[in-house]
Amino acid sequence: MFSLGNEIRLTVFGSSHGPYIGGTVDGLPAGTEINKEYIQKWLDRRRPGQSLITTQRNEEDAIEIIAGSRDGFSDGSPFTFLFKNKDYIDKHYDELKNNPRPGHADLTMFYKYGDFRNYEGGGFFSGRMTLPLVAAGALAMSILDGYGIKIVTYIKSAGDISMKSEPPSGPEDVYGYRTRMPDRGMDELLYNKILKIIKEGDSLGSIIKTSVYNVPPGVGEPFFNSVESEISRAMFSIPGLKGVEFGAGFNLGSMMGSEANDEFYTDGKKIMTRTNNSGGILGGITDGMPVEFSVAMKPTSSIRIPQKSVNITTMEPSEVRVTGRHDPFISFRAVPVIQTLTAFVILDLMMAGKKL
């Protein structure tokens, strides 16, 4: 069972090429508004086939709510939803069954599940499994919005292209850009770079930043349920995500204490910090400043350039050239996944701390 959360708990099921993918959210108080149109808006933002720089797999990704909702509100039972897979082609994976893709979970899937593994489309290791994460996260985001909590996620850098302008201030600002890098000049450069990469049969990674505004101080639990622990656990459920840092992150390793420490000041009503190197978190608990973290998304492992592999049945050297439809820049669709999944974690932490 694949589950996340404490006070509210998300369980996901299904696979990339199976008939359905779905999820269940348990712990929602009865009477919580469930805005299906709002949830669908976020699902559409991660949907494949919406741009030349995404996989051309054609899926509607329309949410079907099958339990836990009555007249647009939760009824106290587990909120359960489904997505039907329609446009999948199993034959694209015939050659990959015994020839694992470098960088992909094909090999470790074989080590763990052997001949019984679900390998078509990457099975439940596929990025398609982020669908229920977005559905549950969008529901959480709609709840947090009522408390004035805003989450902003955007692509900060990709390859040798980095943002030059100030980051966006609104949760939806980034979706007006072709690559979801909210810098007009860099956005165009990155878009053209991705088109070039597509022609070459390669892929590209990125750094994606998230800021959570207006989280009250005192959210989070020491030790194993710290804000960093819970966010990191959730983020590493996203296929292709290989690194997380909070605030100044690894740059703290080259600082002096006098540089790294966020000095306090007050406006007479609340205590704030002049810098935010700690990412709004001290001792695993929010300090009232924006919660800030960045993640590293690796380049998609499914590329058309020939790569060396090993046939797992003969143990002979082999070569793989991936066919089919794959994202050359998975970060484009990862942005709404990270954004909404962050909302789920923050909501769960606030419920645990009785902050709602």
Side-chain angles (χ1 to χ4, degrees), residues 101-131:
R101 289 165 285 182
H104 201 281
D106 293 343
L107 181 61
T108 50
M109 191 192 315
F110 168 71
Y111 285 150
K112 189 166 184 67
Y113 302 109
D115 291 336
F116 297 97
R117 68 195 184 281
N118 184 342
Y119 65 88
E120 291 95 347
F124 47 73
F125 292 94
S126 168
R128 187 145 181 77
M129 293 302 296
T130 60
L131 257 176

Side-chain angles (χ1 to χ4, degrees), residues 28-139:
L28 282 176
T32 301
E33 183 179 5
I34 297 176
N35 187 329
K36 184 177 179 180
E37 289 72 27
Y38 182 85
I39 295 172
Q40 190 62 54
K41 176 177 70 173
W42 287 95
L43 291 166
D44 289 344
R45 286 170 170 165
R46 74 148 299 283
R47 186 172 55 83
Q50 61 182 292
S51 166
L52 289 176
I53 64 173
T54 68
T55 171
Q56 296 306 296
R57 180 170 172 171
N58 185 19
E59 297 283 1
E60 294 179 4
D61 289 351
I63 188 170
E64 178 183 352
I65 298 172
I66 63 172
S69 176
R70 180 181 177 86
D71 299 326
F73 295 88
S74 60
D75 62 12
S77 67
F79 173 58
T80 306
F81 48 89
L82 290 174
F83 303 95
K84 185 171 179 59
N85 291 327
K86 298 178 180 180
D87 185 25
Y88 54 91
I89 305 173
D90 287 344
K91 68 179 182 180
H92 286 161
Y93 294 85
D94 289 347
E95 291 297 319
L96 300 177
K97 179 180 179 181
N98 295 321
N99 298 283
R101 289 165 285 182
H104 201 281
D106 293 343
L107 181 61
T108 50
M109 191 192 315
F110 168 71
Y111 285 150
K112 189 166 184 67
Y113 302 109
D115 291 336
F116 297 97
R117 68 195 184 281
N118 184 342
Y119 65 88
E120 291 95 347
F124 47 73
F125 292 94
S126 168
R128 187 145 181 77
M129 293 302 296
T130 60
L131 257 176
L133 306 186
V134 174
L139 174 59

Side-chain angles (χ1 to χ4, degrees), residues 287-309:
D287 63 13
M289 295 298 288
V291 173
E292 295 185 335
F293 67 94
S294 297
V295 303
M297 292 294 299
K298 72 174 186 176
T300 313
S301 54
S302 295
I303 59 176
R304 290 186 285 107
I305 294 174
Q307 300 179 89
K308 300 299 182 184
S309 185

